[in-house]
Amino acid sequence: LLNKWLSVEIIEDEHDIDLPANINEKQAAALLEQPAINLASLKATFGNDRSSQQNFLKFYQQHSLPIMAKLEASISAENWQTVNELAHTLKSSTRGAGAILLAHYCEALEQLAQENKNQENKNQEIIELDKKIKIEFNRVCENIEANFN
């Protein structure tokens, strides 16, 4: 049983990409051209068990919707500590779901919220990033509905 988790398996996927620590705008644009759920990342977490993939993605979708609502409310209230915590929570589960670009945006939001000390320029960056997160979250949900139900 441990060999399943300890072995290194190369996963072939037409959407497999090398995941840099930071995704630049060019890489983000390239990710927008691919499905929102990266199959290689999803398989790295769940293997080829389609049922486990579907169950997790359904769970992810159900539990992420309230987090997204709380995140929006916290940004509006400029409650940066809560924004930081929610972005971190969403980032972690999003990575498990194979949504690489959304996880990147969540990580960037987490960092901005951590750095934000009532600085107007940071607030605008957070608002712009929040827009990207909403768009990408909708894309992830559409991809789940179309391919994993």
Side-chain angles (χ1 to χ4, degrees):
L1 180 65
L2 286 178
N3 285 338
K4 176 182 177 184
W5 300 108
L6 297 176
S7 65
V8 176
E9 179 182 348
I10 298 175
I11 300 171
E12 296 296 325
D13 180 17
E14 66 185 17
H15 305 295
D16 192 13
I17 61 165
D18 200 14
L19 298 177
N22 293 308
I23 296 174
N24 62 35
E25 290 301 316
K26 183 178 177 182
Q27 292 164 323
L31 285 171
L32 285 170
E33 298 297 320
Q34 299 177 10
I37 303 292
N38 181 280
L39 295 179
S41 294
L42 191 62
K43 286 179 182 179
T45 305
F46 295 100
N48 289 322
D49 185 348
R50 184 77 172 175
S51 177
S52 292
Q53 293 170 3
Q54 289 171 319
N55 289 337
F56 176 78
L57 291 173
K58 184 177 181 179
F59 176 86
Y60 166 80
Q61 203 172 13
Q62 290 172 343
H63 287 83
S64 296
L65 286 168
I67 294 171
M68 289 291 293
K70 289 177 188 174
L71 185 60
E72 185 171 349
S74 298
I75 289 170
S76 294
E78 297 184 3
N79 183 342
W80 306 126
Q81 179 62 35
T82 303
V83 170
N84 176 272
E85 293 166 3
L86 292 169
H88 177 80
T89 299
L90 191 59
K91 171 190 73 176
S92 300
S93 58
T94 298
R95 281 189 177 147
I100 295 167
L101 185 56
L102 181 56
H104 165 70
Y105 289 154
C106 291
E107 183 172 18
L109 179 60
E110 179 185 12
Q111 291 172 354
L112 280 175
Q114 179 70 32
E115 295 168 4
N116 194 1
K117 304 295 182 206
N118 296 321
Q119 300 171 5
E120 282 300 316
N121 61 338
K122 294 287 185 197
N123 291 355
Q124 189 57 40
E125 287 180 64
I126 287 173
I127 291 167
E128 292 301 316
L129 195 50
D130 183 46
K131 289 177 188 175
K132 289 180 180 180
I133 287 172
K134 289 175 192 171
I135 291 168
E136 188 61 12
F137 182 76
N138 288 335
R139 205 169 76 91
V140 167
C141 289
E142 289 170 3
N143 190 222
I144 291 170
E145 293 295 325
N147 299 301
F148 295 96
N149 280 327

